[in-house]
Amino acid sequence: MRLALALGRRNLGRTWPNPSVGAVVVAGPPGQERIVGQGATAPGGRPHAETEALAMAGAAARGATLYVTLEPCSHHGRTPPCTDAILAAGLARVVTAIADPDPRVAGRGHGLIEAAGLALTTGMLRAEAARDHLGHVLRVTEGRPAVSLKLARTQDGFAAGTPRDRLRITGAVADGAVHLWRMHADAIMVGIGTARADDPALTVRLPGLSGRSPLRVILDSHLRLQPSSALVRAAHDVPTLVITTRAAPAHARRTLTTFGVEVAGVAADPAGRVDLRSALALLAERGITRLCSEGGPYLADALAAADLVDTCTLITGPAALGHADGLPALGPRLALAIESGHLRAVESLVLGPDRAVTYERSHPCSPVSSPTSEPSSASAATRACDG
């Protein structure tokens, strides 16, 4: 199952709207098992991991065990259901990590497998799989993608200084890690303030991986994004979506569209800004499951205030700003979420001279809230993940 999880993680950010699933087929008597097939959900979402692994295994799948990170699909879409391929392969046993809350599946995949007489074990490495598939689960159950924040701060807690400060917070190792995180996101989001102040490219700039840049999303309530910005200039090469309010000026919308930028309007909040829940619902409707926000402290705090933060990675550099005139990296609502334990530290990494600490909120299927013992039956796993 650990191999299946590793296989699925390879294509995170490339399979939406489908989850990136991993699958492994193991054959042979106890003590002499060997891997005869493996697969992951292909870019674009098809073929699915199970059919890839079974195709590699061929005749060796008969009497074998299939390990898969998510309950196999049981509905007809653009391809036949994976349960059909599983039953046709002659497997003896299926082991899954978590149930799929998608109402088209939601226990039906497990039920068909058991009804066909195959041995079924569920809940194996449930916590790890719940983290990997959180975006899919939230899109189905809450109508929004999973939201990850990325914030950098100085030793004394600032994200930016005054215009006269020449501030570079993180080093090359941390910068490379951020690009890897981007690569595994479906979309990366910033607010118009960050877009105008930093003029970011928001692309993956690692050797050989430039084609893995995610959808770029800019929240721009009044369409102040300039055609001369790096985001607009590259819009014909990297998909770029501006989410604005329905009251935004039509001429600005037309101008951005001529440069290849897609513009979509959603409801405004009482202050006249883009309503964050409406923006995330729009992204979910388009298939986005994993959203990375690099929009700076103001957007991060607004997301925290709306209780829309699932993970937050805070990267602390070795140098201090040295005075109190800077912009704090943690706004009051995000700081409270961390201090209160609503977001709990789950990982700490040393990235050259920098340290990255990741905080995670508790979800019904998240590692933070998972039980100490993993369920061993389909019904127990379904209750734990879908209740």
Side-chain angles (χ1 to χ4, degrees), residues 8-323:
R9 288 173 189 140
R10 291 180 183 177
N11 283 343
L12 287 173
R14 307 181 74 192
T15 66
W16 60 276
N18 289 347
S20 186
V21 176
V24 175
V25 181
V26 176
Q32 302 178 40
E33 300 95 340
R34 69 190 191 283
I35 294 171
V36 296
Q38 62 185 43
T41 307
R46 288 178 175 78
H48 289 185
E50 299 93 320
T51 56
E52 292 286 271
L54 291 170
M56 179 182 289
R62 186 159 299 278
T65 297
L66 171 69
Y67 293 84
V68 60
T69 62
L70 185 69
E71 178 182 6
C73 67
S74 54
H75 59 281
H76 284 269
R78 286 186 290 171
T79 57
C82 290
T83 49
D84 285 3
I86 289 170
L87 300 185
L91 292 163
R93 180 179 178 229
V94 175
V95 181
T96 68
I98 61 171
D100 188 343
D102 188 325
R104 298 171 298 177
V105 185
R108 186 167 179 264
H110 284 152
L112 289 171
I113 290 168
E114 285 191 306
L118 279 69
L120 176 66
T121 301
T122 68
M124 180 173 285
L125 298 185
R126 171 184 175 274
E128 291 89 335
R131 176 183 285 115
D132 293 350
H133 294 307
L134 180 60
H136 168 69
V137 171
L138 289 177
R139 180 172 177 262
V140 169
T141 60
E142 297 187 16
R144 69 170 181 89
V147 177
S148 297
L149 303 182
K150 298 293 183 291
L151 292 166
R153 67 176 178 179
T154 60
Q155 276 289 335
D156 46 357
F158 293 100
T162 64
R164 66 178 179 272
D165 292 311
R166 302 186 65 177
L167 191 63
R168 180 172 178 80
I169 298 176
T170 57
V173 177
D175 292 349
V178 169
H179 282 267
L180 285 174
W181 287 325
R182 285 181 184 176
M183 186 180 76
H184 290 301
D186 299 348
I188 183 168
M189 181 173 74
V190 299
I192 185 58
T194 295
R196 287 171 64 92
D198 298 345
D199 195 24
L202 300 183
T203 54
V204 174
R205 296 186 297 279
L206 295 174
L209 295 174
S210 60
R212 293 286 298 269
S213 294
L215 171 71
R216 304 178 303 176
V217 178
I218 303 95
L219 302 184
D220 185 1
S221 303
H222 306 293
L223 291 184
R224 296 186 293 137
L225 187 64
Q226 295 297 309
S228 59
S229 67
L231 290 165
V232 175
R233 293 199 311 271
H236 284 294
D237 300 315
V238 183
T240 305
L241 170 66
V242 170
I243 300 179
T244 189
T245 61
R246 297 190 179 105
H251 70 275
R253 180 191 295 258
R254 288 193 295 269
T255 298
L256 290 174
T257 301
T258 61
F259 284 91
V261 175
E262 183 182 1
V263 181
V266 299
D269 66 13
R273 296 183 295 259
V274 168
D275 179 78
L276 292 175
R277 289 191 177 275
S278 297
L280 296 191
L282 171 70
L283 293 174
E285 289 170 3
R286 295 178 176 225
I288 298 297
T289 66
R290 296 166 58 84
L291 177 65
C292 178
S293 174
E294 293 186 26
Y298 293 121
L299 179 56
D301 209 56
L303 289 165
D307 196 22
L308 293 171
V309 178
D310 300 297
T311 63
C312 171
T313 298
L314 189 58
I315 308 173
T316 304
L321 180 62
H323 57 79

Side-chain angles (χ1 to χ4, degrees), residues 333-349:
R333 298 302 294 267
L334 183 56
L336 178 62
I338 292 174
E339 292 165 4
S340 68
H342 184 62
L343 294 172
R344 295 171 51 189
V346 295
E347 183 181 62
S348 179
L349 297 174

